[in-house]
């Protein structure tokens, strides 16, 4: 292997636009505020700050919280799209604040930030995640096997492993479920995320719990509620083909083949 | 204030906490308290893999793995613990597979393995394929799999409960026993006392005192700080790992697996500079060496970009299919955060603060040590919060996901067995909530006007500047002075949110207090270690000094009669079994 870079090129700084001094713009964030200790009404509040447009929306929220108004409340941890803490509705679309760059949001206009829909708001951008996790737990999201454990690993072909790869990527952020019109209208519906996680096991060649899981999903609040609006697929920050996964589960229910 | 009683209480629901919980729940009445929802824990960010000498793709064995761990840790590793780590690695990976973890597979359907820094065949001959992985999302899969199995076992979680204090009987120096913990419920602002026969700390790392770091905002060393304030020692805190390949300025990690797959580091001239520093294994040398090499290139003017302040990770010679299959997440990070296409352009990187080798000292059963020999009854620790010490002065990549599984499991079993065999709960101190109530009231009511964000920013700046990859007596003294000043200013910190519900403003202030205390321990320990070893590099003492410093640092917080705090350093011998220290060359 050659020891030098064959294609020095202009360097990625050009692409990243990262000259020494960051170029800042003035941007307004219009944030949905709610604190039941203060008032039982939610209100919009504008914050105008100077910020580098290549920063994340999460950076803007931090800048506001840390330098302007400490009461602004939201969840976050990893800051790079891995932990699923900060799904919110940004300019009317569900996204992770830490994976959305300001420059991609037409920052000349106010950027709206509000909690994800269909879940009880507890304070500012924080919603009650318990029902969401309950739906997840209800689909038995764990490997079910019978018979004796092998001494070594269970064998699985690379193709069988690939079969359910897409749905293993889920970080339980709820962006999909809270973008689903069926879920907004009917809080009983399991929602896409739970089905994604059922899919992850139903199509795992090692799993033997498919029948039980399909029974659960065959329920009146199960997969049949899905109206294939594709909102969930558009919302998923992990690029999971959520609607396709739901369709595959429906098909498995009809054919009982998976 | 509510009082709860459990046999076993686990603080933290990352890999270590949940691995412990699966064992403890089977054996005792167990509660897991976690400040984040379990699946939000930073274990989920781990990318590259988990080491185990499965020998699925080439010859390998646990003895080679032990040797690499000891050598990689620059001989500060306790060799008995490293041997356990390497031996139990094999079952630990197989257990995860049986729990459902979707590892990548070999053509014959076994768990696939790849190369990682510092892991070699036959004591350093050549790189070996030892890392078991699931694309570049191994940590995500571990975290999900463990959570799934916690759901299956019916583990009881208290989500968004922040543990802010540890309750112990006895006084420093005497016999001590754990009585429980004090937790703050985020949703309501209410305090809870959890009485427990056994407590396990699994609360993760403390990298947030650095600015450029791969660590989550929530990695603020709460567990280390709670133990510290109760007079328990912290071991080897000067050893912090700087991972060579963080995204420039942001610190987001790009796994070493990228170099395991063939990625190459290059300077501004396009030169593969690691050939100079580690002729045998080049880009796959251990992290401390690669990080120093990068900064040497930068200092000598061969850095890239207008400020010559970074180097490149070059993946452009790898087939796009390989990048898509093996490194999908990190290539996406480059696209999302830098607007760079890794198929065609090299990625700007710089070392990023990554991993605390030090922490709460434990035995190989996870029991917390009160000094060099005595354990605290009923208190355990595992994972990044702990120091067993299997990582010594420098952790090898893929050995932490392993550590959390092996020692998480061990701590879970030991704690639950202790709890089952212990009939009574330890007495609670008379006013168990005092420290937390007073601290939170002070932070909430103070009109001092100092802002958390300013102090944290300045702390991170001085740590990055003075206590990172290269250190000298002068830089460390500067850091110490800065931290002292910041700690004084911290007394005047006030928060704006005075409410009770979801008061993250208040908790960030508390977390900052932890970071300040721990940063001071790091710097004081680093000042006293007048040698260079693993992740601790002193330019004024560039060589390893086995005569004076082949020993673990044990730092203690002391408070005199007037309430003045100071740090006392003591030392603990390193356990050596098979391997005599040699020069560390790769
Ligand atoms: C980006 C990145 C990539 C990595 N890649 C690898 C890799 O490929 N291979 C490898 O071996 N290692 C890797 N590591 C290291 C490894 O992932 C971590 O060291 C390990 O996952 C730590 O696990 P843990 O369980 O100790 O802590 P964490 O997973 O951080 O969990 C900590 C838990 O404690 C809880 N907690 C914290 N404070 C409190 C409190 N006050 N009260 C209650 N709960 C609390 C949190 O809620 C959380 O649940 C990587 C690390 C990073 C940052
Ligand atoms: S499927 Fe996608 S959007 Fe839905 S919870 Fe999982 S990661 Fe989030
Ligand atoms: S903060 Fe972790 S996903 Fe955004």
């Amino acid at each position: 292997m050659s020891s030098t870079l064959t294609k020095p090129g202009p360097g990625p700084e050009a692409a990243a636009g990262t000259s020494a001094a960051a170029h800042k713009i003035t941007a307004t964030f219009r944030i949905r505020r709610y604190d039941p200790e203060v008032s039982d009404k939610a209100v919009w509040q504008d914050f105008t700050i100077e910020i580098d447009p290549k920063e994340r929306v999460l950076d803007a929220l931090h800048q506001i919280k840390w330098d302007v108004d400490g009461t602004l409340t939201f969840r976050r941890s990893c800051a790079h799209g891995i932990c699923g803490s900060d799904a919110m509705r940004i300019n009317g679309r569900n996204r992770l604040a830490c994976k959305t760059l300001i420059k991609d949001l037409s920052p000349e206009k106010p950027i709206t930030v509000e909690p994800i829909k269909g879940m009880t708001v507890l304070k500012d951008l924080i919603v009650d995640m318990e029902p969401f996790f309950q739906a997840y737990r209800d689909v038995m999201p764990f490997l079910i096997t019978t018979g004796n454990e092998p001494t070594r690993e269970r064998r699985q072909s690379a193709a069988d492993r690939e079969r359910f790869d897409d749905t293993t990527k889920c970080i339980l952020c709820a962006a999909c479920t809270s973008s689903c019109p069926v879920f907004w209208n009917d809080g009983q519906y399991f929602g896409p995320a739970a089905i994604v996680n059922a899919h992850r096991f139903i199509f795992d060649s090692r799993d033997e719990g498919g029948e039980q899981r399909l029974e659960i999903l065959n329920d009146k609040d199960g997969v049949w509620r899905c109206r294939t609006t594709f909102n969930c697929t558009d919302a998923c920050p992990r690029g999971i083909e959520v609607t396709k996964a739901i369709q595959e589960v429906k098909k498995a229910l009809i054919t009982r083949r998976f | 204030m509510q009082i709860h009683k459990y046999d076993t209480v686990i603080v933290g629901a990352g890999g270590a906490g949940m691995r412990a919980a699966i064992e403890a729940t089977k054996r005792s009445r167990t509660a897991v308290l976690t400040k984040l929802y379990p699946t939000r824990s930073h274990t989920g960010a781990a990318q590259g893999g988990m080491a185990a000498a499965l020998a699925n793709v080439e010859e390998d064995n646990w003895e080679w793995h032990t040797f690499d761990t000891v050598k990689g840790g620059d001989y500060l590793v306790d060799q008995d613990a490293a041997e356990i780590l390497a031996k139990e690695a094999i079952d630990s990976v197989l257990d995860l597979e049986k729990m459902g973890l979707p590892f990548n597979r070999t053509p014959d359907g076994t768990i696939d393995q790849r190369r990682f820094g510092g892991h070699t065949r036959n004591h350093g001959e050549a790189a070996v394929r030892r890392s078991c992985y699931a694309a570049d999302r191994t940590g995500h899969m571990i975290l999900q799999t463990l959570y799934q199995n916690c759901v299956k076992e019916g583990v009881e979680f208290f989500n968004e409960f922040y543990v802010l204090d540890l309750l112990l009987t006895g006084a420093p120096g005497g016999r001590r026993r754990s009585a429980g913990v004090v937790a703050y419920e985020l949703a309501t602002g209410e305090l809870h006392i959890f009485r427990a026969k056994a407590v396990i700390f699994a609360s993760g790392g403390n990298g947030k005192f650095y600015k450029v770091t791969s660590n989550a905002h929530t990695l603020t060393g709460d567990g280390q700080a709670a133990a510290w304030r109760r007079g328990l020692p912290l071991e080897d805190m000067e050893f912090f790992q700087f991972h060579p390949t963080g995204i420039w300025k942001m610190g987001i990690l790009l796994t070493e697996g990228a170099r395991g797959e063939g990625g190459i580091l290059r300077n501004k001239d396009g030169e593969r500079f690691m050939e100079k520093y580690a002729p045998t294994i080049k880009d796959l040398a251990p992290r401390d060496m690669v990080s120093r090499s990068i900064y040497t290139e930068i200092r000598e003017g061969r850095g890239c970009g207008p400020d010559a302040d970074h180097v490149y990770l070059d993946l452009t010679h790898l087939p796009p299919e390989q990048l898509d299959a093996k490194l999908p997440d990190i290539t996406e990070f480059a696209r999302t955060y830098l607007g760079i296409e890794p198929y065609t352009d090299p990625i700007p990187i710089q070392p990023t603060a990554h991993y605390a080798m030090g922490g709460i000292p434990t035995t190989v059963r996870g029991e917390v040590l009160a000094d060099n020999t005595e354990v605290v009854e009923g208190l355990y620790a595992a994972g990044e919060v702990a120091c067993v010490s299997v990582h010594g002065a420098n952790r090898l990549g893929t050995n932490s996901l392993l550590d959390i599984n092996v020692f998480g499991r061990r701590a879970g079993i030991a704690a639950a067995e202790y709890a089952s065999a212990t009939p009574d709960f330890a007495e609670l101190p008379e006013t168990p909530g005092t420290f937390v109530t007073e601290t939170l009231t002070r932070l909430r009511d103070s009109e001092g006007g100092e802002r958390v964000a300013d102090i944290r920013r300045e702390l991170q700046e001085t740590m990055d500047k003075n206590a990172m990859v290269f250190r000298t007596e002068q830089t460390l003294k500067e850091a110490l002075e800065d931290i002292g000043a910041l700690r004084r200013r911290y007394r005047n910190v006030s928060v704006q949110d005075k409410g009770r519900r979801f008061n993250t403003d208040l908790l960030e202030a508390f977390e900052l207090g932890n970071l300040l205390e721990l940063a001071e321990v790091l710097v004081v320990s680093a000042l006293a270690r007048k040698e260079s070893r693993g992740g601790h590099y002193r330019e004024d003492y560039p060589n390893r000094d086995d005569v004076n410093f082949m020993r673990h640092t044990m730092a203690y917080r002391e408070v005199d009669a007037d309430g003045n705090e100071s740090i006392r350093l003591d030392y603990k011998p390193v356990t050596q079994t098979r391997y005599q220290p040699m020069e560390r060359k790769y």
Side-chain angles (χ1 to χ4, degrees), chain A residues 1 3 8 23 83 99 101 107 110 113 137 139 152 158 190 194 202 206 212 227 242 257:
Chain A
M1 187 174 300
S3 224
H23 144 79
C83 75
K99 237 186 144 175
L101 304 192
V113 183
R137 288 190 291 263
V139 301
R152 293 285 298 195
F190 277 112
I202 293 170
R206 300 169 298 174
Q212 295 170 63
R227 292 281 166 269
V242 182
R257 290 222 324 253

Side-chain angles (χ1 to χ4, degrees), chain A residues 3 5 12-13 37 65-66 70 75 77 83 98-99 122-123 141 150 153-154 161 168 170 200 206, chain B residues 40 56 97 100 102 105 111 140 148 160 218 275 310 314 332 337 451 456 496-497 500-501 508:
Chain A
S3 224
L5 186 61
E13 288 77 15
E37 285 181 271
K65 181 176 182 68
W66 292 343
R75 292 191 177 104
S77 183
C83 75
C98 66
K99 237 186 144 175
L122 300 175
K123 181 175 174 184
E153 67 264 54
R154 290 194 172 77
R161 165 68 180 78
T168 63
C170 177
R200 180 251 169 272
R206 300 169 298 174
Chain B
R40 314 290 185 226
N56 277 0
E97 196 283 331
R105 300 287 168 159
I111 296 169
H140 166 76
Q148 290 155 1
E160 303 194 313
T218 45
E275 282 175 340
H310 58 274
D314 180 12
E332 193 192 308
Y337 296 110
R451 300 206 61 148
R456 186 174 45 214
Q496 288 176 304
D497 194 337
R500 299 186 64 78
R501 294 165 64 102
E508 279 191 42

Side-chain angles (χ1 to χ4, degrees), chain A residues 58 75-86 96-98 171:
Chain A
L58 181 63
R75 292 191 177 104
R76 51 80 175 121
S77 183
C78 73
H80 65 287
I82 288 301
C83 75
S85 294
D86 59 343
L96 297 177
C98 66
I171 54 174

